[in-house]
Amino acid sequence: MIKLYSYSPIINTGAVVKKIMPIDGKPLPFSLTEDNSFVYRMHEKCRVYGLGETVRGINKRGWIYKSWCTDEPWHTEDKRSLYGAHNFIIFDGEDTFGAFFDIPGRIAFDIGYTDSDTAVITPEKFNLDLYIITGDSLKDIVSQFRSLIGKSYIPPLWAFGYGQSRWGYVKEEDIRLCADKYQEANIPIDMLYLDIDYMDSFEDFTVNKERYPDLKGFAAEMKERGIRLIPIIDAAVKKLDGYSVYDEGHEKGYFCKDEDGEDFVVGVWPGKSVLPDFLDPGASRWFGAQYKALTDQGIEGFWNDMNEPALFYGEKALDNSFEELKTLEGSKHDAMSFFRTREIFIRLQNSDNDYKSFYHNTPDGRFSHYDVHNLYGYKMTQSAAEALKKLRPDEPSLLFSRASYIGAHRSGGIWTGDNHSWWSHILQSLQQMPGLNMCGFLYSGSDIGGFNADCTCELLIRWMSFAIFTPLMRDHAAAGTRSQEAFAFGDTEVFRHIITLRYRLIPYLYSSFIKAVENDEMYFRPLAFDYEDDEIAKSVEDQLMVGDSIMIAPVYIQNAEARHVYLPEAMRLIRMSSGDISTEELNEGWHYVSVPMGDVVFFAKSPIPLAKPAKNTTELNMDDVEYV
Ligand code: MIG
């Protein structure tokens, strides 16, 4: 049962696709305080799930989270905001209910942080729709919510293949070499990603002619080898007279404006840039149509970046900073004035002041960006998805985004942004997945091996052994970091084994994914969702159910060769060693399972189909399976 409490929302976010009539009264089981916070007393045993892309555990209790799409390159435990704003939460205590706070601005979820038995949810501005969902089970609540927000995006089958990315591949030859190395090592691969260096001076929808003299020919050559090229698109558009995308958008008034009605100028990768107004349907259609420049060259998928939107600085704020700097020039450089000087520039990045200084033209009226901030990446993804349906009507396109809001799950997937090559980030990725699934984001995954910092062979092996189960499976790294491709560490055998196994599992993974979309279910579930009466299962934070039949329990600790695994019921342990598959019946309860480096171990409730090894999805025969 879904109840809607409506508190004068300023805009229709489009997150919800079903019409529900609002009711008056108290939004039970919350109480509403005088300062407009929703308060819920949590029973000692109450567990809390959801909130999508956040730091910390599967059970969200014990921290404070703030929905505010943020370009946050340090996913440490102290953070409150990452790239997504996913305001759906489930309390499972004396009452079990879900709550979706449909609000385009900032909202804080204090889940037992200030006071450990109290949840306090505080929208910064009290304009929102609140949906309260009750049901028979956690799964039922999620399904009702998901049917409220509409079907999740389904990527093409080939997007279940493996992809390699690196910010640092600059030119065609870098990409070709990467393809060669994968194929020489006999490691399956379906996608190679183009990061910002393929563009001409970071101008969206252009291709640097020296680096890629013939992108169309190159894309065809790669496709012949079973590999798709997936270019990045950044949100901001370079402000440059004579650059057609800028000229056209400027002339038509499609960029976000300052209070005087002039294009608001920010600094991002292209230098001075302007922001397409994705909340204006005309501007959104116009921007989407630009993808044609690349689909015409045979491109079948994209990743959308910097769409929180990430701002290095606002032009006016930067000018003011230089003025302020002048006033400090003569000052004694004691520690405090040095810190003040440094702060002048640091605070320019993604500042609330800038977000308050530009405006959107929406069908519901004109709003300051600040008030609708969390919709920007979502609307960019929608713009691309709608355009791609027209540009490539016969086939699905691959599309995923960095920033998101619930609603974007209908248009594309998301990747979880700039993590680190840290052991703790394998676990973090695992813990993010079920929350994302609750909010509709099924096609997702993390940068395998970690984006920032240097990866090691062992970290990559363990990360991949988990990520073969994530729908989006992509190894990606930042410029300047140590190479971390599957061929980079000398021993390619172990990676061939693990990635080949991913392909063999695609019949299971893909059909589980499609079933989850069609039935509004979760592809990844905490054990708590399947074993609601099992107190141990409910507290497990490092195992997940994948589809109906598989449970995973990855190793995520450096040098660990074994781990404890909890089986809520008897299952078969399936051990895939290089060249050998073995199975073992295990009883319900705790087990200490040895997982030597390179073995992939998972647990099955029923026979699992395995395809024959294939070097890419084109060669994968989904029907020729054996059961293990
Ligand atoms: O400011 O395009 O999250 O995946 O490699 C960094 C360069 C911009 C951030 C993305 C990352 C990408 C990088 N981008």
Side-chain angles (χ1 to χ4, degrees):
M1 162 114 132
I2 305 182
K3 287 184 184 162
L4 165 61
Y5 302 86
S6 195
Y7 304 98
S8 14
I10 57 169
I11 190 171
N12 175 8
T13 66
V16 162
V17 296
K18 268 193 191 160
K19 187 101 194 106
I20 306 250
M21 291 314 282
I23 57 171
D24 288 330
K26 288 189 183 153
L28 294 172
F30 288 110
S31 58
L32 197 49
T33 62
E34 270 173 19
D35 58 353
N36 290 334
S37 288
F38 296 90
V39 174
Y40 177 65
R41 295 253 164 253
M42 296 183 288
H43 181 261
E44 192 190 338
K45 289 251 171 82
C46 180
R47 295 191 161 84
V48 184
Y49 304 100
L51 298 182
E53 190 179 22
T54 42
V55 296
R56 302 204 177 207
I58 293 173
N59 178 352
K60 305 318 293 180
R61 190 164 175 171
W63 188 240
I64 178 167
Y65 313 86
K66 285 191 180 172
S67 286
W68 187 255
C69 297
T70 305
D71 174 11
E72 174 52 74
W74 293 93
H75 306 175
T76 47
E77 279 183 35
D78 54 329
K79 295 296 149 51
R80 298 175 181 194
S81 308
L82 294 174
Y83 314 86
H86 305 144
N87 304 332
F88 177 55
I89 191 165
I90 294 183
F91 292 90
D92 184 24
E94 267 173 331
D95 325 280
T96 298
F97 66 100
F100 173 47
F101 297 83
D102 190 8
I103 177 169
R106 213 179 236 134
I107 179 167
F109 293 84
D110 177 338
I111 311 300
Y113 164 76
T114 305
D115 172 5
S116 50
D117 64 6
T118 311
V120 183
I121 297 164
T122 311
E124 196 174 270
K125 298 200 172 160
F126 201 69
N127 303 101
L128 71 153
D129 276 340
L130 167 60
Y131 296 84
I132 304 265
I133 305 170
T134 48
D136 298 336
S137 62
L138 294 167
K139 285 183 180 176
D140 177 43
I141 291 170
V142 170
S143 289
Q144 289 188 56
F145 174 60
R146 293 269 302 284
S147 69
L148 180 69
I149 59 173
K151 291 274 175 278
S152 299
Y153 161 77
I154 299 180
L157 175 70
W158 51 261
F160 272 73
Y162 168 72
Q164 178 67 56
S165 183
R166 179 173 178 83
W167 180 16
Y169 300 154
V170 168
K171 50 188 191 304
E172 180 180 299
E173 207 34 50
D174 301 336
I175 299 289
R176 187 180 286 112
L177 192 67
C178 183
D180 291 349
K181 290 205 170 155
Y182 269 98
Q183 293 186 334
E184 277 158 20
N186 245 316
I187 302 175
I189 186 158
D190 265 83
M191 288 155 285
L192 285 169
Y193 288 79
L194 308 187
D195 208 320
I196 47 176
D197 295 306
Y198 80 87
M199 291 181 260
D200 217 6
S201 313
F202 306 126
E203 291 164 23
D204 277 347
F205 310 112
T206 67
V207 177
N208 182 296
K209 282 281 169 239
E210 269 153 44
R211 295 171 176 179
Y212 293 87
D214 171 22
L215 182 64
K216 191 173 189 174
F218 183 53
E221 171 196 325
M222 282 293 134
K223 193 161 173 193
E224 191 66 23
R225 297 171 65 172
I227 297 173
R228 265 109 173 160
L229 301 180
I230 312 296
I232 195 170
I233 301 292
D234 278 0
V237 165
K238 187 175 174 94
K239 180 181 188 302
L240 177 71
D241 291 330
Y243 161 42
S244 65
V245 178
Y246 169 73
D247 287 343
E248 213 178 293
H250 172 68
E251 194 181 306
K252 295 189 164 148
Y254 285 159
F255 300 124
C256 293
K257 304 273 187 294
D258 65 16
E259 55 202 356
D260 304 323
E262 300 295 323
D263 289 353
F264 186 74
V265 181
V266 296
V268 205
W269 287 110
K272 284 190 183 168
S273 309
V274 288
L275 297 163
D277 186 355
F278 294 109
L279 278 67
D280 168 349
S284 166
R285 268 192 303 275
W286 165 78
F287 190 88
Q290 309 303 316
Y291 285 77
K292 185 168 190 297
L294 291 157
T295 54
D296 277 353
Q297 310 200 48
I299 299 299
E300 300 174 50
F302 298 90
W303 48 311
N304 282 344
D305 190 20
M306 306 299 275
N307 50 5
E308 294 70 28
L311 310 179
F312 298 162
Y313 59 83
E315 186 184 40
K316 285 182 189 147
L318 182 65
D319 290 346
N320 294 340
S321 296
F322 279 112
E323 289 306 315
E324 195 176 340
L325 190 63
K326 278 185 207 145
T327 68
L328 288 168
E329 230 165 27
S331 73
K332 297 202 294 313
H333 283 102
D334 53 53
M336 283 314 159
S337 61
F338 167 71
F339 290 136
R340 229 181 99 201
T341 309
R342 199 175 60 171
E343 190 53 31
I344 295 176
F345 290 92
I346 291 175
R347 69 174 184 225
L348 287 175
Q349 198 146 357
N350 306 321
S351 81
D352 281 0
N353 254 345
D354 279 332
Y355 289 141
K356 283 175 182 161
S357 305
F358 62 94
Y359 295 85
H360 294 276
N361 258 320
T362 86
D364 296 331
R366 178 172 175 269
F367 296 104
S368 107
H369 173 77
Y370 185 84
D371 290 339
V372 293
H373 173 78
N374 286 340
L375 305 183
Y376 194 78
Y378 154 33
K379 293 294 170 181
M380 179 185 187
T381 310
Q382 201 174 52
S383 149
E386 278 164 17
L388 289 170
K389 269 183 224 145
K390 289 185 209 137
L391 294 167
R392 310 184 64 251
D394 300 329
E395 287 165 32
S397 304
L398 172 58
L399 179 64
F400 59 91
S401 170
R402 196 171 68 176
S404 60
Y405 182 82
I406 290 172
H409 70 287
R410 299 189 297 268
S411 300
I414 58 174
W415 94 100
T416 54
D418 299 348
N419 56 8
H420 275 72
S421 299
W422 292 340
W423 287 90
S424 60
H425 278 184
I426 301 178
L427 179 61
Q428 179 169 284
S429 174
L430 178 148
Q431 291 176 322
Q432 284 175 332
M433 290 301 144
L436 288 174
N437 279 209
M438 283 173 60
C439 298
F441 295 95
L442 298 194
Y443 188 74
S444 56
S446 59
D447 286 351
I448 299 167
F451 177 75
N452 293 300
D454 291 329
C455 187
T456 62
C457 183
E458 290 73 21
L459 177 65
L460 189 63
I461 291 171
R462 293 305 198 193
W463 204 313
M464 284 221 182
S465 306
F466 157 61
I468 58 172
F469 295 98
T470 60
L472 167 61
M473 183 185 179
R474 179 180 77 144
D475 176 326
H476 180 46
T481 59
R482 180 185 187 189
S483 295
Q484 62 183 54
E485 293 86 355
F487 55 74
F489 296 100
D491 179 2
T492 51
E493 172 57 33
V494 62
F495 294 106
R496 171 163 60 250
H497 163 61
I498 297 169
I499 299 172
T500 300
L501 179 55
R502 156 66 169 220
Y503 280 75
R504 300 194 67 190
L505 281 165
I506 289 179
Y508 176 82
L509 303 177
Y510 190 69
S511 61
S512 299
F513 182 94
I514 297 294
K515 180 173 169 283
V517 173
E518 281 173 356
N519 301 337
D520 294 320
E521 291 168 354
M522 294 159 72
Y523 165 98
F524 280 122
R525 295 177 309 282
L527 271 47
F529 281 54
D530 285 33
Y531 304 94
E532 286 202 33
D533 299 322
D534 180 334
E535 285 303 318
I536 300 175
K538 284 161 84 166
S539 68
V540 169
E541 282 279 338
D542 59 357
Q543 303 177 196
L544 292 176
M545 306 303 298
V546 185
D548 287 338
S549 305
I550 288 180
M551 182 181 80
I552 57 170
V555 172
Y556 53 88
I557 292 178
Q558 181 175 332
N559 295 321
E561 292 278 333
R563 58 160 286 172
H564 284 101
V565 179
Y566 180 69
L567 267 60
E569 61 178 301
M571 291 185 194
R572 263 173 330 120
L573 178 157
I574 301 182
R575 177 181 301 278
M576 322 277 292
S577 312
S578 197
D580 183 47
I581 302 180
S582 64
T583 68
E584 191 185 334
E585 308 274 347
L586 294 182
N587 290 329
E588 124 177 29
W590 284 104
H591 297 268
Y592 192 62
V593 176
S594 118
V595 190
M597 191 60 78
D599 275 17
V600 176
V601 169
F602 59 92
F603 304 84
K605 289 171 39 176
S606 56
I608 305 298
L610 282 184
K612 296 263 146 41
K615 65 178 201 201
N616 53 47
T617 54
T618 317
E619 296 198 349
L620 182 71
N621 185 340
M622 296 279 279
D623 301 320
D624 184 9
V625 296
E626 57 179 281
Y627 283 83
V628 54

